[in-house]
Amino acid sequence: MKRVYLILACLCLLAFAVMPAQAFTAKSLTVTLAPNGDAQINMQYDLNFLEKSAVFFRMADPATEVKKAFASNTGREVTVNSVTDSSADIVVPSYAGVTRNNGATTLTTPAISFLRAQEVLKRYWFAPLVSANFAPQVTTITFPDGYQETFINSLSMPAVSHTMSV
């Protein structure tokens, strides 16, 4: 009987070792624009146990990765306001382009892509062991007048323009 339990334990251990672990999972991305084009950005995500441990022991820093992603997409300086093991709040000045014409203001956001993050992950030795999902389940861009654009499970979002009348 002990031999059966030992064999079952070994099979379970082997299954866990071979099965990819769900790693970083983007839950939501919320971009709230100010009239001058500045953006307050909140990203909600899930980390697995190992990633949470790495954050706790300061071996990994989700804020740095989120900051890099938005800095590379926008070419702007990004400020991290807060970060936890499940969310990051950042500010990006002049995130959206602002044009004014005949009393109307148009804000245009840059395209957002997490493809680079996915490609970077593939370079690591542990990549076959994890299954990261960088596509936010819901991405919402909110303009100052309350207009919203929403994307579902999109790894890349196009530039979005919206004209507000005064």
Side-chain angles (χ1 to χ4, degrees), residues 47-69:
L47 301 176
N48 67 22
F49 176 75
L50 292 175
E51 292 165 330
K52 285 182 181 184
S53 298
V55 170
F56 179 78
F57 291 110
R58 303 199 190 282
M59 292 185 295
D61 183 10
T64 300
E65 297 310 314
V66 171
K67 183 176 179 176
K68 283 181 191 175

Side-chain angles (χ1 to χ4, degrees), residues 128-146:
L129 303 175
V130 296
S131 175
N133 182 0
F134 293 101
Q137 293 169 3
V138 177
T139 299
T140 306
I141 302 170
T142 304
F143 289 82
D145 65 352

Side-chain angles (χ1 to χ4, degrees), residues 39-119:
Q40 176 71 41
I41 299 172
N42 175 270
M43 180 170 242
Q44 299 286 320
Y45 46 83
D46 285 332
L47 301 176
N48 67 22
F49 176 75
L50 292 175
E51 292 165 330
K52 285 182 181 184
S53 298
V55 170
F56 179 78
F57 291 110
R58 303 199 190 282
M59 292 185 295
D61 183 10
T64 300
E65 297 310 314
V66 171
K67 183 176 179 176
K68 283 181 191 175
F70 279 95
S72 68
N73 274 304
T74 65
R76 306 265 191 262
E77 183 62 34
V78 176
T79 303
V80 177
N81 284 343
S82 68
V83 65
T84 69
D85 64 355
S86 63
S87 70
D89 284 307
I90 63 173
V91 173
V92 182
S94 302
Y95 178 77
V98 179
T99 56
R100 292 180 175 80
N101 189 15
N102 296 329
T105 301
T106 301
L107 274 69
T108 304
T109 66
I112 302 170
S113 177
F114 294 101
L115 288 170
R116 182 165 158 70
Q118 200 165 8
E119 292 302 316

